[in-house]
Every structure is written in C-alpha cells, then in structure tokens.
Amino acid sequence: MFNPSSDDVRRFFCETFRKQRASEILTPLETMASDWIRHHPEYHDVLSDVETALSRDYQVEGAQANPFLHLSMHLSIDEQISIDQPPGIRALATELTLKLDDAHAAQHEIMECLGEMIWNAQRTGTPPDGVAYIEAIKRRL
C-alpha cells in the first residue's frame, strides 16, 4: 500500500510543476497532476518553491486553502471515476459535468462531497461511507 507523507506529496506536486514548465517527460500520474495544476494558477507560486512548500502550514482556522490537499483530492476523484468506485461515481461525474458544462466545476462539487465524507468518518471514527458520498453527489444534481 502506498502511503506518502505530507512532504512526499508536496515534493511530488512541486516536481511535477517543475517538469511541466521544463517540458520534461512526465509519468502518467504526473500528467494527471499537471492537468489539475494548469487549472489552478493560484497555486503556481507555492509549487515553484519546494522549500517554502515543505515549510508552509495550512491551518483550517486560517481559512487558507491547502493546494496540496486540493490537488490530491482532484487526483483521488480522477481515480474514483476511472475505476467507478464507489459504484456510480463515473456516471454521476459525467452527469454533473454535463449539467455544469465544466468538468473542473463538477470535480469541485464532488470534492465538497468527498471532504464531507472524510470529515464525517474522522469525526465518528468510522470507515468512509461510500453510499452517503454517492447520495451527496446525487443531491448536487
């Protein structure tokens, strides 16, 4: 099982951004990440400086978006859609994309549901509830 540390994740996105800007060959995962990095130019400054990225603390209380969490959630949703897990997410993502006429906006809607599911699981000490996650996405339609 792959279990990267916070620093590993930050280095991965910073290195992907560096390789993207240098027009170097990207791995398949880096290619997916670079697509989301392109959609978030507001993160480019932090992705440009590995040392700052590693030292920066993103507190929920400070209402600062954590670019590494955000980009990681995009990748997680991409993976969920690609394997249709939880079952039905692929069709719902397609339907939401058509409704909003924007795949990125659809992912952000799904991301809200994913974040809620993770928060509920952490709060209650229970496994993530895929059924509730799917139901939350359906309500977005």
Side-chain angles (χ1 to χ4, degrees):
M1 169 116 339
F2 185 61
N3 190 16
S5 70
S6 173
D7 284 356
D8 292 337
V9 170
R10 290 172 185 222
R11 282 187 186 96
F12 166 77
F13 283 112
C14 290
E15 178 63 6
T16 297
F17 185 56
R18 185 199 66 73
K19 288 172 73 173
Q20 177 188 41
R21 289 183 307 164
S23 298
E24 293 180 15
I25 294 172
L26 302 171
T27 67
L29 184 59
E30 289 170 337
T31 299
M32 290 171 60
S34 71
D35 289 341
W36 291 116
I37 289 168
R38 276 189 203 96
H39 278 65
H40 289 284
E42 69 275 21
Y43 299 155
H44 290 181
D45 283 346
V46 72
L47 293 171
S48 296
D49 183 353
V50 177
E51 293 310 313
T52 299
L54 293 173
S55 65
R56 190 130 180 226
D57 189 23
Y58 296 94
Q59 296 293 322
V60 174
E61 298 81 21
Q64 285 184 313
N66 181 331
F68 305 101
L69 174 60
H70 187 88
L71 292 169
S72 294
M73 289 179 77
H74 273 302
L75 291 180
S76 294
I77 293 166
D78 277 348
E79 179 67 13
Q80 291 169 3
I81 292 167
S82 77
I83 62 172
D84 198 29
Q85 187 61 36
I89 194 167
R90 182 182 298 142
L92 290 171
T94 299
E95 193 174 344
L96 197 52
T97 297
L98 291 171
K99 176 186 176 190
L100 299 174
D101 194 31
D102 184 342
H104 188 216
Q107 275 239 350
H108 280 205
E109 292 292 321
I110 294 168
M111 192 179 294
E112 290 293 324
C113 301
L114 177 60
E116 181 181 326
M117 178 190 65
I118 293 168
W119 181 81
N120 282 328
Q122 290 175 336
R123 185 177 53 83
T124 61
T126 57
D129 185 345
V131 173
Y133 176 40
I134 291 296
E135 290 303 315
I137 297 169
K138 285 178 181 176
R139 287 191 296 274
R140 301 280 174 148
L141 292 168

